[in-house]
Amino acid sequence: MYHYTEPTKVSILGKENIVVDYNLWGTYIVRDLLTNVPSATYILITDTNLYDQYVPSFEASFSEVVAQQRSPARLLKYHVPPGETSKSRVTKADIEDWLLSDERDPPCDTKSVIIALGGGVIGDMIGFVAATFKRGVRFVQVPTSLLAMVDSSVGGKTAIDTPTGKNLIGAFWQPSKIYIDLDFLNTLPTREFINGMAEVIKTAAIWSEEEFERLEGNASRVMAAIRAPPEAGDRRLSSVQSIVKSLVLGSVKVKAHVVSEDEREGGLRNLLNFGHSIGHAYEGILTPQILHGECVSIGMVLEAALARHLGLLDGGAVARLAKCLSSYGLPTSASDPVVRRRSANKHCTVDQLLSVMGVDKKNDGKKKRIVLLAGIGRTFKREATVVSDRDIRVILSPAVIIEPSITTSSHVSCTPPGSKSISNRALVLAALGQGECRIKNLLHSDDTEVMLNALVKLKGATFAWEEGGQILVVKGNGGRLEAHGEELYLGNAGTSSRFLASVATLAASRTKDFSILTGNDRMKKRPIGPLVETLQANGAGIEFMESKGSLPLYVKAGQGMKGGDINLAATISSQYVSSLLMCAPYADKDVTLRLVGGKPISQLYIDMTTAMMASFGIQVQKSKTEEHTYHIPRGRYVNPPEYVIESDASSATYPLAIAAITGTTCTVPNIGSASLQGDARFAVDVLRPMGCKVEQTKNSTTVTGPPKGSLRPIQEIDMEPMTDAFLTASILAAVAQNGRSRSTTRITGIANQRVKECNRIKAMEDELAKFGVMCRELDDGIEIDGIPYTALRKPTGGVHCYDDHRVAMSFSVLGTVAPHGTLIQERECVGKTWPGWWDTLRQPFDVGLEGVELGVNQASAKNAQQSDKSILIIGMRGAGKTTTGGLAASLLGWHFVDLDTLLEGSVGQTIPKIIETSGWDDFRRHELAVLEKALHEKGKKHILACGGGVVEIPEARQLLSKFHRAGGLVILVQRDIEDIMSFLQIDKSRPAYVENMRDVWLRRRPWYLECSNYQHYGTKAGQEEMASPLDGLGRFLNTVTGCGQALDLIKAKEQSFFVSLTMANVAAAAPILEEVAVGSDAVELRVDLLEDPERRGKPSSMEFVASQVAALRCSSPLPIIFTVRTQSQGGKMANEAHEDIHNLLNLALRMGVEFLDLEISLPDDVLRSISESKRNTKIIASHHDPNDTLSWSSGSWVPHYNKALLYGDIVKLVGVAKSQHSNLSLLQFRSWALTAHPSVPIIAINMGIE
């Protein structure tokens, strides 16, 4: 609880001009102003959003105090439009004209005092007004946002924006007083509070580790308070008032000290720009959707990573900074899902970012200067440091080129990060344990971050960092977990998902009664079935939510494990075993765990788990009478005071392999023969037989490679004890030679590598083929034919890493000798286990690196593979699948396959004969088998037309849905059911329906929609019409395959036009459409004005609208703009018909229209849904103001423009012109918009007065 005392004052430039506390606004400020900043005239300037809320109360306080003191002082008031657009020359001039107006009687003079009430925009602009009005008058800052409190209000920087950039015209003008009233934070929107926390964290990161620790320790309490629901009222910070004041004061004091030392930004004040060099670059591209603090947060992580890359900062400090930022809800990457959603997936190219960074005021000419950390709470220098574009580009780029540059005399000592396997086990055991444990050398990676966050959310433990992030202090709750009640997102962290599946079953129901474990698309395909089924059999309330055998999982609280005898199949993953072992002590009774189904995979990892459990006080007994059986007693872990994590032995294979492949020497000083990890044998069992000199003690390993090009192949090696290391071995085998015509290495025992982050065996075969290395996939392994390293080809398109850290690091080893340089895509995926891997290559190994942006001509292999992916066609018999499929194949230059014909060929009978002799069930079985085979064997560049009834098979529906969810195209070919029925009266090539055809259609229709992501509607079912190219199939395919260029062609024109079709039936008007659309670049279909003859006075049916789109495609070659206009926006659709509108917009996307008009007045969930599922359709985000409530000149259109930017590829704003001035203001607004966002076309129109 906060107890009121005298406000805290902070000195700046030798005067206590900063006042910080609660309840300052009003009487306190008025009295202090009259005493310490006396004037006859005070001018309060704010924006229209704040005026009504805060000005009247202040005016009342002012009048009361002035009357009490019998002061002659007066208060003038003025307000400006809110938002960044007000921070302009125009607004500044408006304020100055108002101040100089004859209406100000007596006039404002040089002794007047201006009070700036608002956020950074108001403070910056009003400060600049004060700096120039009558050559400078006094002014006072009253910041209302957290960002302004800790940043812009302190220091005297004032400025306005220009079309060239932000804050380029301004002055240093110190405020006479800064009143930081923390009560404003009670009503500050949550996102704005979080936005300001970026600057608070920044200040601590550069100046005070003690303050940083305070931030880390209070994150959960502060965020719980700030996220309080609206009913908490304006006192939501009451439980954390003291904490918030302490955090704000800590930040303000640092900035005040720095400003006092360096008022005019000569050097030291540059430190306050940590995170801003890169952050401002992102802000320049992503504004206004992504806020200043959010961009600075991203910038801080990247600039810290840059310091790590340059060898100035420990990787643990980078991870610690990122965790602190994320604990306050701030993004740490531009690929953060929230950033992607808010910015509508806007892409920031590296060249764009570097270009914006090039105009940073800190720069030294063309040299970029960046603030570099040396540790938490301290910087490398007391000023910004010059950093080369090459190094910055590596950090910003999604891909990297490795240049072969290691010298043969190299002798490197390299300490890999902590073991991922041991780190995750230690976190689980310490969280389940009782007491405090200091964990040293914990791996700082994406995987452990996922585990930490999940354990915190399950209330398993609290965590704190010591010694600059080198030690993690875990306070375990002894297994007393609580259900989270929401999704625990685990990304692609397989270890975390398997361990947490068992851990989550232990959670009790206190405030929530369930938890959900989920991950990314790849994680949802990785197996977890045997573990979940075993937990279910033992009484745990855990269920699959989507595909059986994979995430997401629903875990019911309070059921736990019963214990007793448990059988588990352990031939797929040892992590299933470890998961159960670690949680077994908390079962209702002792556990006997039997591993069935054969020899367990990766026995050494099971042994690691039991050894670690012993370190935490639970002794697992391995049965002496039953094979692969373990006895685990009930109990509670007791945390050891300290636990040291070994370095990761799998990761250690990469630096050791670099020595082997380059003929140099490398020592890993903390992994030897005494290691718990099976991969520690890699040097002895793999590198030594390949010709390397290996020296291994209990605690270290040194490898010296043979002369470059002299590695020997290994005839056969079983790598089951170290399966993850097979990728490293495969890379070395690719250049291993024995002087024979075929130098083959055979690796076995690695079948489980097919179900890791990707199918690693297939990945090695495909990616090594790009270098000219031949491989053969085995049932449980791979064969590699080695070639001279000088014969390695340059991989076309680079190495696709499948978002797999081990693929990326393995091929980086090959890149150290590949003669043409090696492009590695998805550079950041190494963050899973070794975030600083590229820095390690650059520093001790001195490998040349070049950051690369993957452009149009360097699209990733994944995208290339996706564009070649076969297309499936489904639909009722007689809908035209065969004809449509044949035309599509001809247009794309692909092969067409009718699966019914394929089925008949494989069985040797016609379909009617199969059904006659074997029945429908047997026919459906054949149909499913043909579909599965076609997907496997004809997965690229084929058009596959399925039988009409394929959706009757549940397994087939699952296959089709999975195919389109993975990015494939499943097209529903559809025609009017009456046309189909007429057509089938003359088609006797297929068996007759045994039920009414309309009933069949109605039953199948939801299945067809579920199994497809596009639909193509034909106008008629007659054979001649179906074969006609006029149905627009080519344009439809262009859109759905991403080859359409409608927007690019229109943007290339100086002026473009579209015609709006406001008719009730477009099909009926087909004869005149060509004449109507003369000179237009697109045609707008006003769906809200269509009149379905079957639904008089009601919204048109989906089928009718689909037929209208099809008719328009057949009648006009122009791109279609699909528009549903509501009544409030000047249309006919009911404003509240959100569901109908949503369905119509989804139909437009399914039909592959080129453009979709999306009203931004629709509910946010509708806007997000359409934006996220738009695929290749371009969105015109529109807002209409038919009632003339908005003004182009006042800034009131800006919020609507900003919202349209969030969702639209094109922005369309329609206002009303009451005079010629309205049109001139519109032109000025349009000019501003194109300057601010030149890549986003804007349609700005004024309607006339009726």
Side-chain angles (χ1 to χ4, degrees), residues 1016-1036:
H1016 181 70
Y1017 196 99
T1019 51
K1020 290 184 180 179
Q1023 192 66 28
E1024 291 183 9
E1025 288 87 348
M1026 287 196 294
S1028 171
L1030 295 178
D1031 62 359
L1033 179 61
R1035 285 166 46 225
F1036 168 77

Side-chain angles (χ1 to χ4, degrees), residues 202 293 314 378 490 499 558 612 619 750 842 846 855 885 896 944 1040 1067 1069 1080 1109 1136 1164 1190 1235:
K202 172 211 72 178
D314 180 80
R378 56 195 174 91
L490 309 179
F499 288 0
M612 291 182 66
Q619 299 291 334
I750 57 169
R842 181 190 184 277
D846 199 28
F896 173 71
L944 307 174
V1040 302
S1080 297
V1109 173
E1136 65 277 4
D1164 287 346
L1190 303 174
T1235 301

Side-chain angles (χ1 to χ4, degrees), residues 27-40 42 61-62 64-67 69-74 179:
T27 301
Y28 178 89
I29 292 179
V30 174
R31 291 185 185 279
D32 195 64
L33 282 175
L34 293 173
T35 302
N36 297 309
V37 194
S39 176
Y42 296 94
S61 297
F62 189 90
E64 181 181 346
V65 174
V66 164
Q69 297 186 5
R70 298 181 181 179
S71 168
R74 63 173 175 164
Y179 297 105

Side-chain angles (χ1 to χ4, degrees), residues 57-111:
S57 63
F58 186 83
E59 187 175 20
S61 297
F62 189 90
S63 299
E64 181 181 346
V65 174
V66 164
Q68 290 171 356
Q69 297 186 5
R70 298 181 181 179
S71 168
R74 63 173 175 164
L75 179 69
L76 304 179
K77 309 173 297 292
Y78 188 79
H79 57 78
V80 299
E84 193 77 29
T85 50
S86 287
K87 194 176 165 183
S88 65
R89 290 179 175 129
V90 172
T91 307
K92 181 174 181 286
D94 288 343
I95 295 170
E96 291 162 342
D97 289 344
W98 180 84
L99 290 170
L100 294 170
S101 168
D102 291 340
E103 295 176 12
R104 312 285 84 74
D105 186 20
C108 300
D109 57 25
T110 57
K111 295 180 181 180

Side-chain angles (χ1 to χ4, degrees), residues 286-355:
L286 299 178
T287 189
Q289 287 80 24
I290 309 303
L291 304 178
H292 170 80
E294 293 165 346
C295 292
V296 167
S297 177
I298 295 168
M300 280 191 276
V301 174
L302 288 169
E303 290 180 21
L306 180 59
R308 183 190 62 200
H309 184 67
L310 297 171
L312 305 174
L313 184 65
D314 180 80
V318 183
R320 189 179 172 193
L321 174 63
K323 187 172 191 320
C324 185
L325 290 164
S326 63
S327 70
Y328 282 94
L330 286 158
T332 56
S333 165
S335 59
D336 181 287
V338 176
V339 173
R340 302 300 296 162
R341 187 183 74 242
R342 286 174 174 164
S343 66
N345 293 310
K346 189 181 294 184
H347 179 56
C348 303
T349 70
V350 177
D351 285 340
Q352 281 179 310
L353 293 169
L354 287 171
S355 175

Side-chain angles (χ1 to χ4, degrees), residues 10-13 18 149-151 154-155 199-212 214-215 246-262 268-269 271-273 377-379 382:
V10 179
S11 178
I12 182 170
L13 295 167
I18 305 175
M149 289 176 183
V150 299
D151 184 32
V154 181
E199 293 288 347
V200 178
I201 295 169
K202 172 211 72 178
T203 306
I206 62 169
W207 202 262
S208 171
E209 185 172 9
E210 182 181 351
E211 284 296 324
F212 196 88
R214 195 197 310 272
L215 283 161
S246 174
L247 295 178
V248 171
L249 265 176
S251 190
V252 168
K253 286 177 179 178
V254 171
K255 184 159 188 183
H257 172 77
V258 171
V259 170
S260 297
E261 292 286 320
D262 178 21
L268 182 64
R269 192 166 175 176
L271 300 186
L272 297 172
N273 286 307
R378 56 195 174 91
T379 55
R382 287 174 63 83

